[in-house]
Amino acid sequence: MRITFLSKYEYSLQDVNIKNLVNQKYCVFDLEGTGINFGTEHITQIGAVILQNGEIKEKFSSLVKSPKRISPEIEKLTGISNEDIKNAPAFPEVYKQFLHFCEGTVLVTQAGYEYDVPMLENHCQQYGTTLFSNPVIDTKGLFANIHQEYKDVISTNFLINYYQVEQKDVPRHNALGDCILISRIFKCILEEYEKKNIQDFFVSEGLAIKRFVIPGIYLDHD
């Protein structure tokens, strides 16, 4: 997998080849952080669920102690306060638990190619740990691969509305809650792949994908 950031608004996806989508064991994961600039912000929560045969089998969630304070805007967005993470375990401990949880799975994210994966990569460099070697599917890329007619941002809300996914029973901007929601979206996309008789997620040439923007919080980085 290769990600090339073309601008703060768009990236290019290349060299993805994940075979036999229907029969894989998946780990859907999500991060919350002190902000959305993966180069300068810090993880405050890691959530994950094991998804197999369309069903959630296991759940994982942990707050992460941050050396950087959470801004009031992010506290309001995520519901995670500086007091909440004051006594939380540090990143290396939580990341070790996460690696054990997701061992042998294909990882699944929403907007993960542009946030979650580079955020984890940056943290691994900072703390001297090794980034996972699992293959990664971003639901944005998976959707864009079969719907190149859509040129706008493929946001979580866009996918919820497109597939009419139930969301009222899960907390948004909570890592575990978002994992459950992403799992439902992912399941819908896989069902569409099956209907189109597409068995693999294969991207060779550059697939242009719009990056997410959170008004009032977005931090410029190229």
Side-chain angles (χ1 to χ4, degrees), residues 3-6 10-13 113-114 138 207-209 211:
I3 303 295
T4 304
F5 291 105
L6 305 175
E10 190 175 47
Y11 68 87
S12 175
L13 174 63
Y113 289 161
E114 62 202 273
D138 189 324
L207 176 64
I209 301 173
R211 298 170 70 181

Side-chain angles (χ1 to χ4, degrees), residues 2-207:
R2 185 152 55 97
I3 303 295
T4 304
F5 291 105
L6 305 175
S7 72
K8 66 182 181 181
Y9 302 112
E10 190 175 47
Y11 68 87
S12 175
L13 174 63
Q14 295 173 275
D15 303 331
V16 177
N17 189 8
I18 299 175
K19 297 182 180 296
N20 197 16
L21 290 170
V22 174
N23 296 317
Q24 295 283 358
K25 181 180 180 181
Y26 295 102
C27 177
V28 181
F29 80 99
D30 186 65
L31 309 178
E32 300 299 336
T34 55
I36 64 171
N37 187 329
F38 59 76
T40 60
E41 303 300 330
H42 202 281
I43 294 170
T44 58
Q45 186 186 25
I46 300 178
V49 300
I50 298 298
L51 185 69
Q52 197 166 16
N53 298 322
E55 295 184 7
I56 292 176
K57 302 294 187 180
E58 299 177 66
K59 298 178 182 178
F60 171 84
S61 179
S62 177
L63 294 175
V64 181
K65 187 173 184 177
S66 168
K68 182 173 183 176
R69 288 188 63 81
I70 307 170
S71 70
E73 293 84 2
I74 297 296
E75 281 189 326
K76 183 177 180 180
L77 179 70
T78 65
I80 299 171
S81 70
N82 289 291
E83 186 64 27
D84 291 334
I85 63 172
K86 183 177 179 179
N87 297 314
F91 171 77
E93 181 181 343
V94 179
Y95 181 64
K96 183 178 180 180
Q97 295 172 4
F98 170 68
L99 287 181
H100 178 73
F101 183 80
C102 72
E103 185 176 0
T105 67
V106 175
L107 296 174
V108 178
T109 73
Q110 163 65 12
Y113 289 161
E114 62 202 273
Y115 179 73
D116 302 82
V117 174
M119 186 81 151
L120 282 172
E121 186 174 25
N122 188 56
H123 275 53
C124 286
Q125 291 174 355
Q126 288 181 27
Y127 288 93
T129 58
T130 303
L131 185 68
F132 54 72
S133 58
N134 309 53
V136 184
I137 293 176
D138 189 324
T139 50
K140 287 179 67 172
L142 194 66
F143 181 87
N145 188 46
I146 57 172
H147 286 291
Q148 297 186 33
E149 70 273 18
Y150 289 100
K151 304 302 181 184
D152 294 331
V153 176
I154 303 169
S155 66
T156 303
N157 285 339
F158 171 88
L159 292 171
I160 288 170
N161 292 330
Y162 184 89
Y163 289 111
Q164 295 296 292
V165 174
E166 177 59 50
Q167 62 167 322
K168 293 180 180 179
D169 60 328
V170 292
R172 296 288 302 273
H173 305 296
N174 168 280
L176 183 58
D178 283 344
C179 285
I180 295 171
L181 191 56
I182 295 166
S183 296
R184 295 173 183 175
I185 292 169
F186 181 59
K187 183 179 177 181
C188 290
I189 301 175
L190 287 186
E191 288 172 353
E192 189 170 2
Y193 267 66
E194 282 192 87
K195 289 178 182 177
K196 293 178 180 292
N197 197 29
I198 302 173
Q199 299 178 354
D200 310 321
F201 180 29
F202 177 73
V203 179
S204 57
E205 302 298 327
L207 176 64

